[in-house]
Amino acid sequence: AQSVAQPEDQVNVAEGNPLTVKCTYSVSGNPYLFWYVQYPNRGLQFLLKYITGDNLVKGSYGFEAEFNKSQTSFHLKKPSALVSDSALYFCAVRVYNQGGKLIFGQGTELSVKP
Amino acid sequence: ETGVTQSPTHLIKTRGQQVTLRCSSQSGHNTVSWYQQALGQGPQFIFQYYREEENGRGNFPPRFSGLQFPNYSSELNVNALELDDSALYLCASSQGGGELNTGELFFGEGSRLTVL
């Protein structure tokens, strides 16, 4: 069965410091992995995806994610956090051969303090 | 290019009632997926429609049903509402079915349903 785990419910970071939000996955076949962000009372916004190729994927708002096949991880990173990055972040994996069906993790709340 | 729009944004129903939620997909997209997001949880896949046909379903009972129209807009219907149906219902549009769909979804703002 395919699954996604986000081991941290909350991550606290000081503005200007690097941030990492962790994600591990379990899939059959080659993984299609995603990060989405959700601001309060809003829908989800696509940040970035990994399908194939370079293990370091760059996305919106200065975020990037590193795909590690041996550790089955897809951690989200940003070199310098902003207060406006504070939001709920979801890692997701696409179900094999089922197009728009994504399995989401439980989410990690990122809090960036000035 | 218009984004994904959902209506209504908020609604309150009582147990046993029926509800219909609506979604207009992003221009150029032919696939609509519906997700349920309970408070403090990640979104859970309900079902997906591709070219007016149901194309995948999650672990939801038959009282959750849907439609997709020729213009690719969609409806989610829930019958015999239960308290646990209280959640944010998210519609997402994308392009392609099966392996053609990379899974990059464009979400609407959601419809928040409260069941009393």
Side-chain angles (χ1 to χ4, degrees):
Chain A
Q2 294 173 268
S3 64
V4 170
Q6 293 180 242
E8 302 156 317
D9 290 335
Q10 185 162 14
V11 170
N12 297 308
V13 178
E15 188 174 31
N17 283 1
L19 70 87
T20 299
V21 182
K22 296 179 180 177
C23 171
T24 59
Y25 65 89
S26 173
V27 301
S28 53
N30 294 321
Y32 284 27
L33 296 162
F34 304 83
W35 277 100
Y36 285 83
V37 60
Q38 186 175 35
Y39 296 98
N41 300 312
R42 305 290 295 274
L44 277 70
Q45 295 179 28
F46 170 80
L47 274 180
L48 50 80
K49 67 182 177 187
Y50 172 84
I51 295 178
T52 187
D54 195 347
N55 289 344
L56 186 64
V57 179
K58 293 189 183 298
S60 306
Y61 313 121
F63 283 93
E64 57 190 27
E66 187 171 10
F67 171 67
N68 188 317
K69 189 172 183 178
S70 63
Q71 296 185 7
T72 62
S73 67
F74 188 56
H75 299 333
L76 181 70
K77 301 182 179 185
K78 188 173 183 181
S80 179
L82 299 173
V83 172
S84 58
D85 292 331
S86 299
L88 193 54
Y89 290 81
F90 290 98
C91 182
V93 61
R94 191 195 78 161
V95 175
Y96 177 71
N97 204 30
Q98 292 193 40
K101 179 178 180 179
L102 300 183
I103 295 175
F104 285 87
Q106 290 288 88
T108 298
E109 185 174 352
L110 173 66
S111 177
V112 182
K113 300 294 187 188
Chain B
E1 182 178 276
T2 56
V4 178
T5 58
Q6 293 187 242
S7 63
T9 55
H10 295 81
L11 69 166
I12 299 173
K13 294 285 188 177
T14 56
R15 275 187 305 174
Q17 286 188 310
Q18 179 266 343
V19 68
T20 297
L21 307 178
R22 296 177 175 83
C23 172
S24 294
S25 59
Q26 181 163 310
S27 175
H29 286 177
N30 57 14
T31 301
V32 172
S33 309
W34 285 92
Y35 288 80
Q36 181 196 65
Q37 186 180 17
L39 200 61
Q41 304 291 319
Q44 300 288 317
F45 177 77
I46 302 174
F47 44 56
Q48 174 179 285
Y49 281 84
Y50 170 61
R51 293 184 175 178
E52 302 179 59
E53 298 281 334
E54 188 178 290
N55 182 34
R57 188 177 181 92
N59 189 26
F60 281 81
R63 58 190 185 84
F64 286 78
S65 63
L67 284 173
Q68 187 179 33
F69 301 99
N71 66 354
Y72 303 130
S73 65
S74 178
E75 286 183 355
L76 164 65
N77 299 290
V78 187
N79 294 321
L81 284 167
E82 301 177 359
L83 296 180
D84 285 348
D85 296 333
S86 295
L88 182 67
Y89 288 85
L90 295 165
C91 169
S93 75
S94 55
Q95 180 62 24
E99 278 302 293
L100 294 177
N101 190 315
T102 63
E104 182 175 341
L105 305 182
F106 293 81
F107 283 86
E109 300 281 296
S111 294
R112 185 164 296 283
L113 171 66
T114 301
V115 182
L116 302 176

